């Protein structure tokens, strides 16, 4: 615990003496992945509350600590001082918990949090509740009731275009999952970046709609 606190203090000191450039421009979208949750530890698919094999996955103790740490880091970077127009979270328990912890850290008011199923985890279909194996999911041919990569990209494209039109001013915060965040980042940067649990990335909002594929 002492080592964790020491590392945290050193990191805070580092941030304080660095020029704050992450939020220097006019308008940004901050994409945050939820903290570590039960399914990450248990290594099983968890994406669809309507599936009979679904079981709620909540943040672990470490996941709560990760979310609080991310809240502190983003606060030090100045996110709480900006005009946050919207905070949109996936409706699954782990993302709801993460958003509440971020609000408790003072990044934004809890009443700004809304939920949108378009930023939910990629649907694992018939693999729901089963042990995770990345080789099980064929992105080109989704499992029964599941999603392909193109379907996920389309819903992330639709979400982004809708949210920037709905909120033409101010910053936007998204609390989501690994696969949706990776696809959204790729759409905006043309880079494959996978966020670890409770990691975040801040990207400029240009106001331009995304239209990079047939959706």
């Amino acid at each position: 615990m002492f080592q964790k606190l020491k590392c945290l203090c050193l990191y805070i000191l580092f941030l304080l003496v660095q020029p704050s450039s992450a939020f220097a421009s006019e308008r940004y979208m901050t994409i945050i992945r939820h903290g570590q949750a039960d399914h990450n530890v248990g290594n099983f698919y968890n994406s669809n509350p309507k599936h009979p094999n679904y079981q709620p996955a909540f943040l672990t103790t470490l996941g709560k600590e990760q979310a609080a740490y991310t809240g502190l880091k983003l606060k030090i970077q100045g996110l709480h001082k900006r005009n946050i127009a919207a905070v949109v979270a996936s409706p699954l328990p782990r993302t709801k918990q993460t958003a509440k912890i971020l609000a408790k850290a003072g990044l934004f008011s809890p009443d700004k949090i809304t939920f949108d199923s378009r930023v939910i985890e990629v649907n694992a279909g018939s693999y729901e509740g089963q042990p995770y194996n990345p080789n099980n999911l064929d992105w080109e041919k989704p499992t029964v009731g599941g999603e392909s990569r193109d379907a996920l990209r389309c819903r992330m494209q639709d979400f982004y275009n809708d949210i920037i039109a709905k909120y033409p001013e101010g910053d936007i915060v998204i609390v989501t999952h690994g696969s949706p965040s990776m696809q959204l980042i790729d759409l905006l940067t043309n880079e494959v970046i996978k966020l670890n649990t409770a990691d975040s990335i801040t990207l400029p909002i240009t106001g331009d709609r995304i239209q990079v594929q047939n959706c």
Side-chain angles (χ1 to χ4, degrees):
M1 179 61 70
F2 174 78
Q3 187 63 31
K4 286 184 178 179
L5 290 173
K6 182 180 178 182
C7 291
L8 178 58
C9 290
L10 288 173
Y11 184 69
I12 292 172
L13 181 61
F14 172 80
L15 288 174
L16 288 174
V17 299
Q18 298 301 309
S20 181
S21 59
F23 301 101
S25 294
E26 183 178 357
R27 180 162 147 81
Y28 278 93
M29 174 175 285
T30 297
I31 303 166
I32 305 168
R33 184 181 176 187
H34 62 80
Q36 183 195 73
D38 297 331
H39 74 296
N40 298 122
V41 177
N43 207 36
F44 59 89
Y45 292 103
N46 187 262
S47 63
N48 181 11
K50 296 180 180 179
H51 195 281
N53 292 337
Y54 171 81
Q55 53 182 304
F58 298 96
L59 294 183
T60 63
T61 299
L62 175 59
K64 293 174 183 177
E65 292 175 353
Q66 289 176 331
Y69 178 81
T70 295
L72 177 61
K73 179 181 70 174
L74 291 173
K75 189 171 182 179
I76 291 171
Q77 290 177 349
L79 178 60
H80 68 298
K81 295 181 180 179
R82 296 188 58 80
N83 172 26
I84 300 176
V87 180
V88 185
S90 157
L92 292 184
R94 55 191 181 269
T95 38
K96 286 184 175 181
Q97 285 182 287
T98 300
K100 288 179 180 178
I101 291 172
L102 295 172
K104 188 176 180 180
L107 285 185
F108 44 75
S109 172
D111 59 13
K112 282 191 176 290
I113 303 171
T114 61
F115 303 101
D116 193 315
S117 60
R118 288 176 295 180
V119 296
I120 203 169
E121 182 59 284
V122 61
N123 193 329
S126 58
Y127 285 114
E128 183 70 33
Q130 294 189 24
Y132 178 73
N133 182 344
N135 296 323
N136 285 346
L137 293 182
D138 183 343
W139 281 109
E140 305 305 324
K141 297 179 181 178
T143 59
V144 177
E147 282 183 290
S148 66
R149 176 174 52 196
D150 286 347
L152 175 59
R153 287 176 69 84
C154 280
R155 71 168 158 97
M156 296 313 296
Q157 174 178 293
D158 175 71
F159 167 76
Y160 179 82
N161 290 338
D162 180 57
I163 202 73
I164 64 169
K166 186 175 181 179
Y167 299 97
E169 297 181 354
D171 286 14
I172 298 171
V173 177
I174 311 299
V175 185
T176 183
H177 305 265
S179 296
S181 62
M182 186 164 59
Q183 293 302 322
L184 181 55
I185 294 166
D186 188 13
L187 286 168
L188 295 174
T189 66
N190 201 31
E191 292 184 58
V192 178
I193 300 173
K194 185 172 182 178
L195 300 179
N196 293 320
T197 50
D199 273 357
S200 67
I201 187 170
T202 299
L203 302 172
I205 299 174
T206 64
D208 298 330
R209 290 173 57 87
I210 301 173
Q211 191 63 54
V212 297
Q213 61 181 358
N214 271 332
C215 289

